[in-house]
Amino acid sequence: MQRFMVVGGNRLVGTVRASGSKNATLPIMAASLLLDGQCIIRGIPRLRDVAVMRDVLVYLGAGVVWEKDTMYIDARNVSSQEVSEDLMRRMRASNLVLGPLISRFRQAKISYPGGCQIGSRPMNLHLKGLQGLGATITEKFGYISAEARNLAGTEIYLDVPSVGATENLMMASVFAKGKTVIKNAAREPEITDLQNFLNLLGARINGAGTDVIKIQGVDGLYGADHTVIPDRIEAGTHMIAGAITGGDVTVADVIPEHLEPVINKLRETGAFVEVKDSQVRVAVDRKLKAVDIKTMPYPGFPTDMQPQFMALLTMCEGTGIITETVFENRYKHVMEMRRMGADIRLEGQTAVVRGVPGLSGACVEATDLRAGAALVLAAMAAENGTVIEQVEHIDRGYERLENKYNALGARIIRVHN
């Protein structure tokens, strides 16, 4: 158990670099299981979730060497097609091994995954798509077993544009005979990065970034050297850190196009946002005004940025309305922010945030990854000191967040209980 002790009131100034994308790294690591050979993945962030996925690969028999931000994966000796319940419960994204295992070995067995409890993320879309490819699915005693003597290309329509289902079905289709078409596919940049990695291995995939992805089955893959994209959610969090502290922060090593929803909303509040090449600068020298946001699948405003933007709205002038359309249980941070003096009223999936003159320090708990990041932002802007418990959640998606913010002028101490 670890906690952050945060002394607020310091203006953040300087440049911070975005790490590699967690949500791109995890499916790409899972995709390495397709390869009867070796690959190199660069730009890997040092995160708890990445460590869990590494453990999953090792458990299955892969050789994994992780040096700084580079991972060398050798999947030639993968012999198991079953992941232990303990590993599955440690991270939601561990379910991404289902697609590559069924594709390469024609069988797989996993338990239902764990992760942040932010709402329902059922596996039905994954399983329905696998059945369409020819897999037989058995669900018993909390485990999912999949078998397929032959995988054949087909047309799959996703009822909702699920990121995980899109990624799993892309990987499951790589060795399927013929052509697979995924319609109403998720369009997130991380899916495009997965396509680029798979194509480097020798897959034949196009359409990622649109709602129709086409996969032509191939007979084999070969090694590749790939660098993951920057983490747009981490970058967006840093941008709001600059805004909420009235600072001047430049976020480097980003792809600005991936940040457009956050950039546009920050500009709407009155913040100065400058985009230049692979950098985004956010500077604030005035009281910001409240705006409304509605979370949507990409390219809409990301649900993973909703808690952080709520933290900013608590100190804006006026009233902002947040509508959460992706996860039904993603307002756990509201009670914690209220402890700090925020004026937030919940009405179903809508949060009404009325700006207050200032927040005050309190003892709060990070209930999940993004909620934890939002509390760090609120704490840096609050008067006096704040204690944030359960920061292990934050470590799942942010690489030593306190070090990055302390380098910009924050005062955050990590305490090991």
Side-chain angles (χ1 to χ4, degrees):
M1 303 288 287
Q2 300 178 37
R3 66 182 64 173
F4 281 160
M5 298 182 67
V6 186
V7 178
N10 295 293
R11 183 170 177 261
L12 301 193
V13 178
T15 298
V16 59
R17 174 186 170 274
S19 300
S21 169
K22 173 182 85 85
N23 290 335
T25 294
L26 298 177
I28 287 172
M29 288 177 65
S32 70
L33 293 169
L34 289 164
L35 184 63
D36 186 13
Q38 301 171 296
C39 65
I40 302 172
I41 309 171
R42 303 183 190 275
I44 300 281
R46 282 277 174 180
L47 303 174
R48 288 186 64 207
D49 275 9
V50 175
V52 172
M53 184 61 85
R54 174 203 56 195
D55 293 346
V56 169
L57 298 185
V58 171
Y59 181 88
L60 292 170
V64 181
V65 177
W66 189 0
E67 297 178 348
K68 296 183 179 179
D69 68 346
T70 301
M71 190 172 288
Y72 304 85
I73 303 175
D74 185 345
R76 287 176 293 184
N77 295 321
V78 170
S79 55
S80 175
Q81 291 85 54
E82 180 177 343
V83 182
S84 73
E85 182 178 5
D86 173 63
L87 283 173
M88 291 297 300
R89 290 188 178 277
R90 285 164 58 188
M91 181 182 63
R92 174 74 191 179
S94 53
N95 67 358
L96 290 172
V97 302
L98 183 60
L101 287 178
I102 192 70
S103 184
R104 179 178 170 187
F105 299 103
R106 298 299 194 257
Q107 62 180 350
K109 183 177 180 180
I110 65 171
S111 70
Y112 280 94
C116 288
Q117 302 304 310
I118 56 177
S120 176
R121 292 182 282 182
M123 289 286 295
N124 60 302
L125 295 178
H126 304 241
L127 304 184
K128 181 181 177 182
L130 290 174
Q131 288 173 323
L133 291 167
T136 299
I137 306 296
T138 304
E139 298 179 70
K140 187 180 294 185
F141 306 123
Y143 277 85
I144 300 168
S145 296
E147 293 186 8
R149 292 185 178 180
N150 298 292
L151 290 174
T154 186
E155 184 174 295
I156 300 170
Y157 180 83
L158 298 178
D159 294 334
V160 296
S162 162
V163 174
T166 300
E167 293 168 338
N168 239 337
L169 296 173
M170 285 172 64
M171 293 184 282
S173 303
V174 167
F175 295 139
K177 186 176 181 180
K179 186 177 186 178
T180 299
V181 179
I182 305 173
K183 294 188 175 181
N184 198 31
R187 300 165 58 187
E188 273 72 3
E190 295 79 14
I191 292 172
T192 301
D193 206 28
L194 175 61
Q195 172 185 277
N196 292 340
F197 175 70
L198 290 171
N199 286 344
L200 275 177
L201 296 178
R204 296 174 60 189
I205 307 174
N206 65 75
T210 75
D211 61 357
V212 178
I213 298 175
K214 299 177 181 179
I215 305 101
Q216 182 66 48
V218 297
D219 294 328
L221 301 176
Y222 43 83
D225 189 327
H226 178 76
T227 301
V228 299
I229 59 174
D231 196 310
R232 60 192 172 98
I233 304 302
E234 182 196 345
T237 303
H238 298 334
M239 291 162 60
I240 293 179
I244 199 171
T245 63
D248 188 339
V249 171
T250 297
V251 188
D253 295 344
V254 302
I255 301 175
E257 292 81 3
H258 296 170
L259 297 165
E260 286 183 354
V262 180
I263 290 171
N264 292 336
K265 280 299 175 181
L266 279 174
R267 284 175 172 163
E268 197 176 328
T269 68
F272 171 77
V273 184
E274 180 184 41
V275 178
K276 186 177 181 181
D277 299 327
S278 60
Q279 297 185 344
V280 177
R281 177 188 171 208
V282 177
V284 171
D285 61 0
R286 69 192 72 182
K287 185 76 171 179
L288 300 180
K289 60 183 180 181
V291 298
D292 299 338
I293 65 171
K294 182 178 182 179
T295 64
M296 296 288 286
Y298 189 86
F301 192 92
T303 181
D304 279 356
M305 284 300 304
Q306 177 258 105
Q308 300 93 307
F309 212 93
M310 179 183 283
L312 178 63
L313 289 178
T314 63
M315 299 185 64
C316 286
E317 190 174 75
T319 300
I321 308 296
I322 297 176
T323 305
E324 175 59 57
T325 71
V326 180
F327 292 124
E328 73 276 8
N329 197 24
R330 193 152 214 176
Y331 283 135
K332 290 185 177 180
H333 48 283
V334 169
M335 181 60 69
E336 305 306 307
M337 289 184 182
R338 284 174 177 165
R339 297 179 194 275
M340 302 179 70
D343 185 349
I344 307 170
R345 186 176 76 254
L346 292 180
E347 299 176 358
Q349 292 305 106
T350 300
V352 181
V353 186
R354 182 177 299 169
V356 295
L359 299 175
S360 56
C363 185
V364 294
E365 180 181 340
T367 54
D368 59 72
L369 168 55
R370 306 305 174 185
L375 292 175
V376 172
L377 299 179
M380 290 191 298
E383 296 179 356
N384 304 317
T386 297
V387 176
I388 304 174
E389 303 281 0
Q390 303 282 356
V391 299
E392 292 86 354
H393 284 297
I394 300 172
D395 294 335
R396 289 185 48 237
Y398 294 91
E399 190 173 19
R400 301 299 296 187
L401 189 64
E402 74 275 24
N403 290 356
K404 291 189 175 185
Y405 288 161
N406 286 341
L408 298 174
R411 294 178 63 190
I412 306 173
I413 300 173
R414 181 185 291 260
V415 177
H416 298 264
N417 293 355

